[in-house]
């Protein structure tokens, strides 16, 4: 039901500053993308099949801005690929996980995504990404 790790999401205060830092470490850096529905500007940094998603808030009251205000910059979520996101959401609900989204939403690159509440998973916000 759950596939490979798709990416780890990192909340950053300034995406361009963070991208420059990862670039200097030797990571390949993807083009920044605005995901208006999530109130974020994101970019992926990559090494082989391994990806980090850097997320910057578009608004001072956005979820990423609120996260940084409370906890500082750093790890925000982990994302796993699933072949069928609606099936994965239903399976997790049946097993008692708190799936935040009623329906999958359009995330980065137009992919269907949904989130599981950290209350359900030992403090980890889990993102499902339909591969
Ligand atoms: Co993500």
């Amino acid at each position: 039901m759950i596939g490979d790790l798709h990416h780890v999401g990192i909340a950053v205060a300034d995406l361009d500053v963070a991208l420059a830092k990862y670039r200097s470490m030797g990571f390949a850096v993807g083009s920044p993308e605005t995901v208006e529905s999530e109130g974020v500007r994101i970019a992926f940094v990559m090494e082989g099949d391994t990806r980090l998603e850097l997320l910057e808030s578009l608004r001072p009251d956005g979820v990423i801005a609120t996260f940084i205000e409370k906890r500082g910059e750093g790890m925000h979520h982990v994302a796993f690929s699933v072949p069928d996101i609606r099936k994965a959401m239903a399976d997790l609900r049946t097993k008692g996980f708190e799936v935040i989204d009623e329906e999958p939403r359009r995330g980065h690159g137009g992919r269907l995504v949904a989130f599981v509440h950290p209350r359900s998973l030992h403090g980890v916000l889990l993102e499902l990404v339909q591969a």
Side-chain angles (χ1 to χ4, degrees), residues 31-128:
S31 302
E33 174 191 354
T34 296
V35 186
E36 198 63 52
S37 60
E38 304 286 330
V40 293
R41 196 163 74 98
I42 67 118
F44 286 97
V45 302
M46 296 153 282
E47 174 54 46
D49 289 335
T50 305
R51 294 182 205 86
L52 302 178
E53 177 189 36
L54 306 184
L55 305 105
E56 169 196 73
S57 188
L58 292 174
R59 296 185 278 278
D61 62 344
V63 289
I64 293 299
T66 306
F67 176 89
I68 290 174
E69 200 177 293
K70 281 189 192 155
R71 302 173 61 170
E73 293 182 296
M75 211 190 90
H76 181 259
H77 64 271
V78 293
F80 286 86
S81 300
V82 291
D84 181 336
I85 196 164
R86 285 187 171 80
K87 185 172 187 303
M89 291 165 76
D91 285 349
L92 288 171
R93 279 208 181 90
T94 301
K95 291 170 181 164
F97 290 90
E98 188 180 340
V99 180
I100 295 169
D101 304 283
E102 277 303 313
E103 283 291 313
R105 40 177 140 154
R106 290 275 166 199
H108 42 81
R111 294 176 192 86
L112 288 176
V113 303
F115 288 87
V116 176
H117 200 284
R119 272 193 297 263
S120 294
L121 198 58
H122 308 273
V124 171
L125 176 62
L126 178 74
E127 178 183 6
L128 305 171

